[in-house]
Amino acid sequence: RKEVEQDPGPFNVPEGATVAFNCTYSNSASQSFFWYRQDCRKEPKLLMSVYSSGNEDGRFTAQLNRASQYISLLIRDSKLSDSATYLCVGRIYNQGGKLIFGQGTELSVKP
Amino acid sequence: DAGVTQSPTHLIKTRGQQVTLRCSPKSGHDTVSWYQQALGQGPQFIFQYYEEEERQRGNFPDRFSGHQFPNYSSELNVNALLLGDSALYLCASSSRDGFSEQYFGPGTRLTVT
């Protein structure tokens, strides 16, 4: 079983739609979680950190449930520019802060 | 302020050859991590360097080795290349405390034929 698992998609949605990505993790040593965005053939870039209390950044909302080992990302009012691959990531600080990535979920927002 | 830089951008090698990839960390960072991203997959941790030593290693064979220089730049070496080594190789830099954000370079796309 992979340490971080995501639905690979692709998710094809119209502009303005709300889309939700889910992620589960199996390594309880992972201490922090993040969502990264990766555009085609580019490097991953940090989108937002994920907290148990939930956190929101504009149209993006992330949530962590440690009991269920479940992470989510909600995108409201999708824009064409949101088209990318979204990577769910865990971080293990007692191992030098190494990042453990899910395989990514591809999102395509259509006009 | 330059971010993380990597060279070369693209590389084509033949099976059995050896390759060296290079990374310069973001200014102020002393820790470099290397990741391999195969097509359609998320990045996989290869190893991490700070103080010129390998500190953590992922599940990669000994064909993958690295080095860190006194100026914190780093090299990734892969010997006896296999077709399966074809991937995007990403370098990420951060501070040693392990809590700061890891910034990724643009990557080197390696194709093994």
Side-chain angles (χ1 to χ4, degrees):
Chain A
R1 182 182 176 189
K2 293 183 179 179
E3 292 183 89
V4 177
E5 292 199 68
Q6 298 179 246
D7 181 342
F11 283 39
N12 296 302
V13 303
E15 266 188 298
T18 295
V19 60
F21 300 139
N22 303 316
C23 168
T24 58
Y25 66 94
S26 60
N27 186 344
S28 58
S30 292
Q31 296 161 288
S32 296
F33 298 90
F34 308 89
W35 285 100
Y36 275 71
R37 170 190 169 129
Q38 186 172 29
D39 292 292
C40 186
R41 305 178 78 84
K42 302 277 191 178
E43 72 273 24
K45 292 187 177 177
L46 179 64
L47 178 66
M48 61 196 304
S49 301
V50 189
Y51 306 117
S52 297
S53 55
N55 52 306
E56 187 173 313
D57 183 2
R59 298 181 292 108
F60 299 82
T61 300
Q63 187 77 52
L64 165 64
N65 184 322
R66 289 192 184 273
S68 303
Q69 296 186 261
Y70 172 87
I71 302 155
S72 64
L73 176 67
L74 186 74
I75 304 176
R76 292 180 298 278
D77 188 22
S78 300
K79 311 292 185 189
L80 296 177
S81 57
D82 293 333
S83 297
T85 295
Y86 291 83
L87 295 156
C88 179
V89 185
R91 189 167 189 179
I92 302 178
Y93 290 106
N94 64 359
Q95 294 184 25
K98 80 172 191 180
L99 301 178
I100 302 173
F101 287 82
Q103 71 179 101
T105 299
E106 184 183 347
L107 172 65
S108 180
V109 182
K110 305 292 187 183
Chain B
D1 176 25
V4 181
T5 60
Q6 292 186 243
S7 63
T9 305
H10 297 87
L11 203 52
I12 300 175
K13 290 286 189 178
T14 304
R15 273 181 302 177
Q17 287 188 314
Q18 178 265 342
V19 67
T20 297
L21 311 181
R22 295 176 177 81
C23 170
S24 291
K26 182 178 169 65
S27 178
H29 286 176
D30 57 7
T31 299
V32 173
S33 302
W34 287 92
Y35 295 82
Q36 179 197 64
Q37 186 174 23
L39 194 62
Q41 301 297 316
Q44 298 294 309
F45 176 77
I46 303 175
F47 41 52
Q48 183 182 79
Y49 277 83
Y50 65 86
E51 291 184 338
E52 302 177 47
E53 290 192 18
E54 182 183 295
R55 299 295 180 172
Q56 293 288 339
R57 189 178 183 92
N59 188 25
F60 280 80
D62 292 344
R63 298 187 297 108
F64 289 77
S65 64
H67 188 78
Q68 186 177 36
F69 299 94
N71 67 352
Y72 308 123
S73 66
S74 176
E75 289 182 348
L76 164 65
N77 301 293
V78 187
N79 294 322
L81 285 167
L82 303 174
L83 296 179
D85 295 331
S86 295
L88 178 68
Y89 288 84
L90 294 159
C91 165
S93 77
S94 59
S95 302
R96 187 185 311 173
D97 64 13
F99 291 92
S100 65
E101 179 182 346
Q102 291 191 16
Y103 290 82
F104 284 85
T108 294
R109 190 163 298 278
L110 172 66
T111 301
V112 182
T113 62

PDB file of all heavy atoms in Angstrom, chain A residues 72-88:
ATOM      1  N   SER A  72      -8.239  16.528   2.659  1.00  0.00           N
ATOM      2  CA  SER A  72      -9.075  16.956   1.544  1.00  0.00           C
ATOM      3  C   SER A  72      -8.669  18.346   1.071  1.00  0.00           C
ATOM      4  O   SER A  72      -8.048  19.120   1.799  1.00  0.00           O
ATOM      5  CB  SER A  72     -10.549  16.957   1.948  1.00  0.00           C
ATOM      6  OG  SER A  72     -10.768  17.912   2.963  1.00  0.00           O
ATOM      7  N   LEU A  73      -9.036  18.616  -0.172  1.00  0.00           N
ATOM      8  CA  LEU A  73      -8.852  19.947  -0.760  1.00  0.00           C
ATOM      9  C   LEU A  73     -10.113  20.264  -1.546  1.00  0.00           C
ATOM     10  O   LEU A  73     -10.539  19.466  -2.383  1.00  0.00           O
ATOM     11  CB  LEU A  73      -7.650  19.981  -1.692  1.00  0.00           C
ATOM     12  CG  LEU A  73      -7.424  21.302  -2.439  1.00  0.00           C
ATOM     13  CD1 LEU A  73      -7.041  22.416  -1.468  1.00  0.00           C
ATOM     14  CD2 LEU A  73      -6.352  21.145  -3.528  1.00  0.00           C
ATOM     15  N   LEU A  74     -10.695  21.415  -1.255  1.00  0.00           N
ATOM     16  CA  LEU A  74     -11.900  21.864  -1.942  1.00  0.00           C
ATOM     17  C   LEU A  74     -11.568  23.128  -2.725  1.00  0.00           C
ATOM     18  O   LEU A  74     -10.980  24.063  -2.176  1.00  0.00           O
ATOM     19  CB  LEU A  74     -13.006  22.155  -0.930  1.00  0.00           C
ATOM     20  CG  LEU A  74     -14.378  22.490  -1.496  1.00  0.00           C
ATOM     21  CD1 LEU A  74     -15.032  21.213  -2.036  1.00  0.00           C
ATOM     22  CD2 LEU A  74     -15.262  23.123  -0.425  1.00  0.00           C
ATOM     23  N   ILE A  75     -11.926  23.130  -3.997  1.00  0.00           N
ATOM     24  CA  ILE A  75     -11.734  24.316  -4.833  1.00  0.00           C
ATOM     25  C   ILE A  75     -13.113  24.802  -5.257  1.00  0.00           C
ATOM     26  O   ILE A  75     -13.871  24.067  -5.898  1.00  0.00           O
ATOM     27  CB  ILE A  75     -10.877  24.001  -6.083  1.00  0.00           C
ATOM     28  CG1 ILE A  75      -9.532  23.387  -5.685  1.00  0.00           C
ATOM     29  CG2 ILE A  75     -10.662  25.285  -6.908  1.00  0.00           C
ATOM     30  CD1 ILE A  75      -8.677  22.964  -6.879  1.00  0.00           C
ATOM     31  N   ARG A  76     -13.430  26.031  -4.882  1.00  0.00           N
ATOM     32  CA  ARG A  76     -14.718  26.619  -5.260  1.00  0.00           C
ATOM     33  C   ARG A  76     -14.552  27.523  -6.470  1.00  0.00           C
ATOM     34  O   ARG A  76     -13.468  28.075  -6.702  1.00  0.00           O
ATOM     35  CB  ARG A  76     -15.283  27.432  -4.095  1.00  0.00           C
ATOM     36  CG  ARG A  76     -15.706  26.608  -2.898  1.00  0.00           C
ATOM     37  CD  ARG A  76     -16.255  27.506  -1.774  1.00  0.00           C
ATOM     38  NE  ARG A  76     -15.227  28.435  -1.305  1.00  0.00           N
ATOM     39  CZ  ARG A  76     -14.290  28.100  -0.422  1.00  0.00           C
ATOM     40  NH1 ARG A  76     -14.248  26.895   0.085  1.00  0.00           N
ATOM     41  NH2 ARG A  76     -13.401  28.997  -0.046  1.00  0.00           N
ATOM     42  N   ASP A  77     -15.621  27.674  -7.237  1.00  0.00           N
ATOM     43  CA  ASP A  77     -15.624  28.605  -8.375  1.00  0.00           C
ATOM     44  C   ASP A  77     -14.381  28.377  -9.256  1.00  0.00           C
ATOM     45  O   ASP A  77     -13.568  29.293  -9.463  1.00  0.00           O
ATOM     46  CB  ASP A  77     -15.666  30.042  -7.857  1.00  0.00           C
ATOM     47  CG  ASP A  77     -15.871  31.066  -8.965  1.00  0.00           C
ATOM     48  OD1 ASP A  77     -16.387  30.680 -10.035  1.00  0.00           O
ATOM     49  OD2 ASP A  77     -15.494  32.237  -8.769  1.00  0.00           O
ATOM     50  N   SER A  78     -14.240  27.170  -9.762  1.00  0.00           N
ATOM     51  CA  SER A  78     -13.061  26.790 -10.534  1.00  0.00           C
ATOM     52  C   SER A  78     -12.784  27.747 -11.691  1.00  0.00           C
ATOM     53  O   SER A  78     -13.710  28.196 -12.374  1.00  0.00           O
ATOM     54  CB  SER A  78     -13.239  25.378 -11.097  1.00  0.00           C
ATOM     55  OG  SER A  78     -13.410  24.443 -10.076  1.00  0.00           O
ATOM     56  N   LYS A  79     -11.515  28.038 -11.898  1.00  0.00           N
ATOM     57  CA  LYS A  79     -11.062  28.871 -13.005  1.00  0.00           C
ATOM     58  C   LYS A  79     -10.275  28.009 -13.996  1.00  0.00           C
ATOM     59  O   LYS A  79      -9.718  26.971 -13.621  1.00  0.00           O
ATOM     60  CB  LYS A  79     -10.138  29.993 -12.500  1.00  0.00           C
ATOM     61  CG  LYS A  79     -10.668  30.788 -11.323  1.00  0.00           C
ATOM     62  CD  LYS A  79     -11.847  31.618 -11.706  1.00  0.00           C
ATOM     63  CE  LYS A  79     -12.270  32.499 -10.521  1.00  0.00           C
ATOM     64  NZ  LYS A  79     -13.570  33.178 -10.804  1.00  0.00           N
ATOM     65  N   LEU A  80     -10.201  28.470 -15.230  1.00  0.00           N
ATOM     66  CA  LEU A  80      -9.402  27.760 -16.232  1.00  0.00           C
ATOM     67  C   LEU A  80      -7.960  27.590 -15.736  1.00  0.00           C
ATOM     68  O   LEU A  80      -7.328  26.552 -15.959  1.00  0.00           O
ATOM     69  CB  LEU A  80      -9.391  28.508 -17.567  1.00  0.00           C
ATOM     70  CG  LEU A  80     -10.735  28.643 -18.272  1.00  0.00           C
ATOM     71  CD1 LEU A  80     -10.575  29.471 -19.547  1.00  0.00           C
ATOM     72  CD2 LEU A  80     -11.326  27.287 -18.598  1.00  0.00           C
ATOM     73  N   SER A  81      -7.470  28.607 -15.027  1.00  0.00           N
ATOM     74  CA  SER A  81      -6.086  28.593 -14.551  1.00  0.00           C
ATOM     75  C   SER A  81      -5.850  27.593 -13.410  1.00  0.00           C
ATOM     76  O   SER A  81      -4.702  27.372 -13.015  1.00  0.00           O
ATOM     77  CB  SER A  81      -5.677  29.988 -14.088  1.00  0.00           C
ATOM     78  OG  SER A  81      -6.556  30.443 -13.072  1.00  0.00           O
ATOM     79  N   ASP A  82      -6.924  26.991 -12.894  1.00  0.00           N
ATOM     80  CA  ASP A  82      -6.760  25.959 -11.856  1.00  0.00           C
ATOM     81  C   ASP A  82      -6.367  24.620 -12.458  1.00  0.00           C
ATOM     82  O   ASP A  82      -6.018  23.693 -11.724  1.00  0.00           O
ATOM     83  CB  ASP A  82      -8.060  25.785 -11.061  1.00  0.00           C
ATOM     84  CG  ASP A  82      -8.416  27.010 -10.230  1.00  0.00           C
ATOM     85  OD1 ASP A  82      -7.501  27.765  -9.851  1.00  0.00           O
ATOM     86  OD2 ASP A  82      -9.627  27.202  -9.969  1.00  0.00           O
ATOM     87  N   SER A  83      -6.430  24.484 -13.777  1.00  0.00           N
ATOM     88  CA  SER A  83      -6.065  23.229 -14.429  1.00  0.00           C
ATOM     89  C   SER A  83      -4.598  22.904 -14.132  1.00  0.00           C
ATOM     90  O   SER A  83      -3.700  23.682 -14.436  1.00  0.00           O
ATOM     91  CB  SER A  83      -6.270  23.326 -15.943  1.00  0.00           C
ATOM     92  OG  SER A  83      -7.624  23.531 -16.250  1.00  0.00           O
ATOM     93  N   ALA A  84      -4.396  21.753 -13.510  1.00  0.00           N
ATOM     94  CA  ALA A  84      -3.054  21.346 -13.071  1.00  0.00           C
ATOM     95  C   ALA A  84      -3.192  19.975 -12.407  1.00  0.00           C
ATOM     96  O   ALA A  84      -4.295  19.433 -12.306  1.00  0.00           O
ATOM     97  CB  ALA A  84      -2.463  22.345 -12.078  1.00  0.00           C
ATOM     98  N   THR A  85      -2.082  19.451 -11.919  1.00  0.00           N
ATOM     99  CA  THR A  85      -2.104  18.254 -11.085  1.00  0.00           C
ATOM    100  C   THR A  85      -1.899  18.675  -9.638  1.00  0.00           C
ATOM    101  O   THR A  85      -1.008  19.480  -9.340  1.00  0.00           O
ATOM    102  CB  THR A  85      -1.008  17.263 -11.513  1.00  0.00           C
ATOM    103  OG1 THR A  85      -1.292  16.794 -12.835  1.00  0.00           O
ATOM    104  CG2 THR A  85      -0.955  16.069 -10.562  1.00  0.00           C
ATOM    105  N   TYR A  86      -2.736  18.146  -8.756  1.00  0.00           N
ATOM    106  CA  TYR A  86      -2.680  18.501  -7.338  1.00  0.00           C
ATOM    107  C   TYR A  86      -2.106  17.312  -6.573  1.00  0.00           C
ATOM    108  O   TYR A  86      -2.631  16.196  -6.640  1.00  0.00           O
ATOM    109  CB  TYR A  86      -4.066  18.904  -6.838  1.00  0.00           C
ATOM    110  CG  TYR A  86      -4.481  20.219  -7.451  1.00  0.00           C
ATOM    111  CD1 TYR A  86      -5.046  20.266  -8.729  1.00  0.00           C
ATOM    112  CD2 TYR A  86      -4.249  21.429  -6.787  1.00  0.00           C
ATOM    113  CE1 TYR A  86      -5.377  21.479  -9.321  1.00  0.00           C
ATOM    114  CE2 TYR A  86      -4.590  22.645  -7.373  1.00  0.00           C
ATOM    115  CZ  TYR A  86      -5.145  22.655  -8.637  1.00  0.00           C
ATOM    116  OH  TYR A  86      -5.469  23.866  -9.223  1.00  0.00           O
ATOM    117  N   LEU A  87      -1.045  17.576  -5.843  1.00  0.00           N
ATOM    118  CA  LEU A  87      -0.313  16.527  -5.133  1.00  0.00           C
ATOM    119  C   LEU A  87      -0.543  16.652  -3.629  1.00  0.00           C
ATOM    120  O   LEU A  87      -0.337  17.721  -3.038  1.00  0.00           O
ATOM    121  CB  LEU A  87       1.184  16.659  -5.418  1.00  0.00           C
ATOM    122  CG  LEU A  87       1.607  16.433  -6.868  1.00  0.00           C
ATOM    123  CD1 LEU A  87       2.931  17.126  -7.165  1.00  0.00           C
ATOM    124  CD2 LEU A  87       1.730  14.945  -7.157  1.00  0.00           C
ATOM    125  N   CYS A  88      -0.956  15.569  -3.030  1.00  0.00           N
ATOM    126  CA  CYS A  88      -1.119  15.473  -1.580  1.00  0.00           C
ATOM    127  C   CYS A  88       0.221  15.019  -1.003  1.00  0.00           C
ATOM    128  O   CYS A  88       0.819  14.047  -1.499  1.00  0.00           O
ATOM    129  CB  CYS A  88      -2.222  14.463  -1.283  1.00  0.00           C
ATOM    130  SG  CYS A  88      -2.557  14.183   0.450  1.00  0.00           S
TER     131      CYS A  88
END
